[in-house]
Amino acid sequence: MLKRISLSDKIVIVVIYVLLSLLAFTALYPFWNAIAVSLNVGVDTAKGGITFWPRQFTWENYEIILQDDRLITGFMISVARVIVGTVSSIFMTALLAFGMTRTYLIGRNYYMVFFIFTMYFSGGLIPTYLLNRSLGLMDTFLVFIIPSLISVWNMIIFRTFFKTLPAGLEESANIDGCSTWGVFFRIILPLSGPVIATLALLTAVGHWNDWFLPSIYITNEKLLPIQTILRQTLNANIVTGQSAVLDSASAALLQKTKQITSKSLTMAMMIVVTMPIILVYPFLQKYFVKGVLVGSLKE
Amino acid sequence: MPQATTEQPRPPASRQLKAHNKSLIRRLGKQWDVQLMVIPGIILVFIFSYLPMYGVLTGFMDYNLFTGANIWENPWVGFKHFVAFFNAPEFERLIRNTIIISLLKFFIGFPAPIILALMLNEVRHMMFKRVIQTITYLPHFLSWVIVAGLTMAMLSTENGSVNMILQQVGAIDEPINFLSLKQYFWSILVSVNVWKEIGFASIVYLAAIASVDPHLYEAADIDGASKFKQIYLITLPSIIPVVVIFMILAIGNLLNAGFEDILLLAANPVLRPVSDVIDTYVYRVGLGTHRYSYAIAIGLFKAIISIGMLTMANYLARRSGNSLW
């Protein structure tokens, strides 16, 4: 279609393209810079001027943090938390949501009010803390898993999705002698791939990113996930200007090489912690837009 | 227990029609398998969401560390902790910071994704649009720890890009330590929040824009309306219902000035006079100094005001015909 575009329209379009490019640049640049700094010799970085590319390339920063036992343990704890936490939470929430779609379920409307209410009011930080403490969840791996087994928000999204599945499928399975649990495992779950993928990925990201929960419930160093360790490092950096995370072995290495600064180590650590997210992101992206839309509709 | 109401929507199987006549217990026995799916969820939500609500009562008591599970062993003190909070020297500053920070976040953070969606909608090159979207969605998936770390790196006096640029253009002579100066904190906090969430929050608005009838634009084109006028007179009014719903949600959240972001970005205690909000204060006095009852009372005070605001916002929205419930 041939159409004359007026000058003012052209200006509007150009301004929009420039603004969007600028926005994308500011969104991406901090990572790019962090990668460049993490790949540069620490002492050299301190002189300033590292923007897009490392000036004196080195893998040293990564070598040091990948030898730090505390970080490796933290990484493993995070991975374990993501796997166990996501699988169990998605399963329990999907099961609950399936039960809640059964129209003959006695008490269904009361249950729904019971669940929805928790989305608007909660006891808050301190009562929750006291409860978890009295349940003996302090300093256990279970504190990552059990309190977040049921997500009411996810339950509603699952429920909305299950309602779109044809009712005839379930009826014919019933006629063939399938129990309610059989319907759930053999028909509903296999058909729910997209919604499970969306919610599982969002739940996994939530588990991976959480640093606050362990920071109040965990005192045993061996149970701290990577984000909490990173937070302690950043905090130490800003308060005292030196890295607190490194254990004695790494500190000795640091003394030996002298090319390292806490800043370049912190940057390398941040990239290592972000990598899993960046790696799953391409798979995540095609799902989450849909997930967000279903979630925003609610009911 | 509900009776007829739960069974009214379409009773297909004859099994259910018969069940109608049986006693509640026998009907429950019959659907034991489904109840078994729901009961674990109910128990978990009861324990982890409702028991803490009951713990809120200790805000009216003097909590004793050794009473353990039985909160009734604590002595009642009425509104003592609420009064103590209203008279605390920090009170004024906490309320001020909470209100200012949430208002700043609301007035800048709320329209920002709408503007982004409107701009993205004008992009005709699909490839460009997709790249921009992919990049702007990404920060949403990073933890606040990472975002705070990147912010510190950007603003650092030692190889921080912001200081380097400012020095190069001659705006400053000496690098500024932004994260230890009170006058910059609010702008940093709000900018970082917008940076993190703008892309992701724009998804819903983009979807709303996509459902606008294209004929409207064709007609406007024929009438000679400029791009700017089309955005202003067609796109924007078409997405108002979605905007209103999200605005209600945002108003309900208005007292949530932030928690993780402030805790991490205001790591330097020097910033406390401008960074301390109700939530960070509850965290500090509650878990830091173990004044549980006092902290619980403050948390409750905030929750009640928030619910009041949400109810009020919904009432206003209902009058405009776009209510949430």
Side-chain angles (χ1 to χ4, degrees):
Chain A
M1 184 169 72
L2 256 172
K3 197 172 68 180
R4 278 177 54 94
I5 301 171
S6 72
L7 182 66
S8 69
D9 279 5
K10 273 185 198 157
I11 294 172
V12 170
I13 297 279
V14 169
V15 169
I16 284 175
Y17 273 67
V18 170
L19 284 177
L20 288 177
S21 308
L22 266 175
L23 184 72
F25 176 77
T26 48
L28 205 56
Y29 177 73
F31 298 101
W32 192 275
N33 181 252
I35 294 172
V37 168
S38 71
L39 289 171
N40 197 52
V41 173
V43 178
D44 180 60
T45 304
K47 291 174 193 151
I50 305 298
T51 50
F52 291 98
W53 308 106
R55 192 162 45 211
Q56 291 182 28
F57 183 85
T58 179
W59 287 111
E60 218 172 17
N61 301 313
Y62 286 93
E63 278 162 22
I64 289 183
I65 62 162
L66 293 179
Q67 281 166 21
D68 190 322
D69 285 343
R70 198 173 161 217
L71 292 183
I72 293 167
T73 319
F75 202 91
M76 297 321 255
I77 292 286
S78 287
V79 170
R81 173 178 176 183
V82 166
I83 295 170
V84 180
T86 307
V87 171
S88 56
S89 163
I90 292 294
F91 176 76
M92 291 302 291
T93 305
L95 188 67
L96 172 66
F98 175 71
M100 293 294 292
T101 56
R102 307 296 83 191
T103 42
Y104 54 86
L105 180 78
I106 296 171
R108 187 163 161 263
N109 297 334
Y110 291 90
Y111 296 160
M112 206 59 205
V113 172
F114 175 84
F115 289 124
I116 301 264
F117 183 68
T118 63
M119 299 173 89
Y120 295 100
F121 188 76
S122 75
L125 178 69
I126 309 294
T128 308
Y129 172 81
L130 294 175
L131 171 79
N132 285 339
R133 207 184 55 172
S134 65
L135 289 175
L137 290 172
M138 290 291 282
D139 261 331
T140 60
F141 185 74
L142 290 178
V143 76
F144 300 143
I145 312 297
I146 296 180
S148 57
L149 272 179
I150 298 290
S151 154
V152 173
W153 183 259
N154 286 354
M155 188 268 278
I156 289 172
I157 297 179
F158 266 127
R159 212 176 72 118
T160 314
F161 180 83
F162 292 160
K163 278 184 184 164
T164 66
L165 296 174
L169 274 176
E170 189 206 329
E171 276 165 37
S172 59
N174 274 331
I175 291 165
D176 291 346
C178 205
S179 69
T180 315
W181 285 77
V183 170
F184 176 68
F185 280 108
R186 292 200 212 152
I187 295 174
I188 303 295
L189 280 189
L191 284 176
S192 309
V195 70
I196 290 179
T198 312
L199 296 179
L201 284 164
L202 291 175
T203 308
V205 169
H207 274 296
W208 179 261
N209 279 344
D210 176 49
W211 61 277
F212 183 70
L213 191 101
S215 82
I216 62 176
Y217 293 110
I218 305 290
T219 52
N220 180 355
E221 298 265 297
K222 292 216 155 63
L223 267 175
L224 284 180
I226 189 96
Q227 301 272 1
T228 314
I229 297 173
L230 177 61
R231 193 261 167 152
Q232 292 175 352
T233 312
L234 289 169
N235 221 1
N237 273 340
I238 206 160
V239 176
T240 65
Q242 49 187 280
S243 175
V245 63
L246 297 166
D247 58 29
S248 52
S250 310
L253 230 162
L254 194 140
Q255 282 296 313
K256 205 167 69 194
T257 52
K258 295 248 181 182
Q259 293 292 301
I260 297 34
T261 61
S262 65
K263 167 144 185 167
S264 51
L265 285 181
T266 312
M267 288 299 119
M269 203 167 142
M270 278 181 22
I271 299 299
V272 171
V273 176
T274 317
M275 256 325 138
I277 299 266
I278 307 263
L279 292 179
V280 299
Y281 183 66
F283 305 99
L284 183 85
Q285 205 196 350
K286 69 176 166 197
Y287 290 118
F288 68 61
V289 175
K290 242 191 192 149
V292 169
L293 294 179
V294 176
S296 66
L297 290 178
K298 233 170 74 174
E299 278 307 86
Chain B
M1 277 277 117
Q3 293 178 355
T5 50
T6 51
E7 258 160 312
Q8 264 165 9
R10 61 180 167 118
S14 58
R15 195 167 66 118
Q16 283 174 36
L17 282 174
K18 255 189 246 163
H20 219 48
N21 304 322
K22 293 176 188 166
S23 72
L24 183 69
I25 306 283
R26 286 185 66 189
R27 277 161 59 216
L28 269 173
K30 208 112 199 225
Q31 57 170 253
W32 185 239
D33 50 349
V34 194
Q35 291 287 348
L36 201 63
M37 294 176 158
V38 179
I39 286 169
I42 291 173
I43 293 173
L44 281 165
V45 169
F46 177 76
I47 294 176
F48 292 104
S49 296
Y50 282 88
L51 283 185
M53 290 183 200
Y54 154 87
V56 156
L57 290 176
T58 40
F60 301 97
M61 299 171 174
D62 263 335
Y63 186 83
N64 177 346
L65 263 178
F66 304 103
T67 49
N70 188 2
I71 69 166
W72 301 111
E73 287 172 21
N74 298 305
W76 290 95
V77 293
F79 287 93
K80 176 181 146 188
H81 299 295
F82 292 87
V83 174
F85 176 56
F86 299 144
N87 293 325
E90 298 94 343
F91 180 74
E92 218 169 291
R93 148 184 130 184
L94 287 171
I95 298 293
R96 186 200 62 171
N97 287 343
T98 307
I99 291 173
I100 292 181
I101 291 176
S102 25
L103 286 180
L104 280 174
K105 279 186 175 174
F106 180 75
F107 282 111
I108 298 166
F110 186 75
I114 302 176
I115 295 169
L116 174 62
L118 291 175
M119 292 203 296
L120 277 171
N121 186 48
E122 296 305 319
V123 172
R124 288 289 163 265
H125 301 90
M126 277 306 135
M127 195 58 203
F128 181 78
K129 187 172 173 178
R130 207 159 296 156
V131 169
I132 301 282
Q133 285 181 293
T134 304
I135 295 174
T136 51
Y137 293 167
L138 179 63
H140 171 80
F141 292 95
L142 304 176
S143 70
W144 268 111
V145 176
I146 298 286
V147 173
L150 291 173
T151 310
M152 288 171 195
M154 283 295 106
L155 299 176
S156 140
T157 50
E158 164 203 335
N159 198 52
S161 295
V162 171
N163 271 314
M164 285 197 293
I165 291 171
L166 289 177
Q167 271 180 308
Q168 237 144 44
V169 301
I172 51 171
D173 300 323
E174 286 284 297
I176 299 172
N177 193 355
F178 288 100
L179 278 170
S180 62
L181 293 170
K182 283 181 241 165
Q183 65 266 42
Y184 297 119
F185 182 71
W186 289 341
S187 358
I188 294 172
L189 185 74
V190 173
S191 321
V192 174
N193 267 286
V194 170
W195 181 84
K196 191 174 189 293
E197 299 301 341
I198 185 169
F200 201 73
S202 71
I203 294 177
V204 181
Y205 300 114
L206 273 170
I209 292 173
S211 63
V212 178
D213 185 357
H215 289 114
L216 291 173
Y217 294 104
E218 280 167 33
D221 252 344
I222 291 164
D223 290 347
S226 69
K227 270 259 165 305
F228 200 75
K229 271 216 156 127
Q230 290 183 21
I231 295 174
Y232 185 72
L233 292 174
I234 302 175
T235 318
L236 208 50
S238 308
I239 62 169
I240 285 295
V242 179
V243 171
V244 170
I245 287 181
F246 277 80
M247 200 182 270
I248 301 167
L249 290 172
I251 291 173
N253 264 328
L254 213 49
L255 277 193
N256 288 325
F259 181 65
E260 276 188 73
D261 52 344
I262 295 179
L263 220 51
L264 291 163
L265 284 171
N268 193 335
V270 175
L271 293 175
R272 218 160 263 166
V274 289
S275 72
D276 221 4
V277 294
I278 297 176
D279 284 331
T280 54
Y281 184 69
V282 166
Y283 167 69
R284 217 174 47 246
V285 298
L287 298 182
T289 61
H290 303 288
R291 294 166 68 189
Y292 295 125
S293 291
Y294 181 59
I296 288 170
I298 302 168
L300 185 60
F301 163 75
K302 205 201 84 167
I304 289 168
I305 296 184
S306 288
I307 288 195
M309 286 167 78
L310 185 65
T311 315
M312 204 173 68
N314 193 60
Y315 169 75
L316 292 176
R318 184 174 289 170
R319 296 193 58 179
S320 74
N322 294 300
S323 81
L324 194 63
W325 69 76

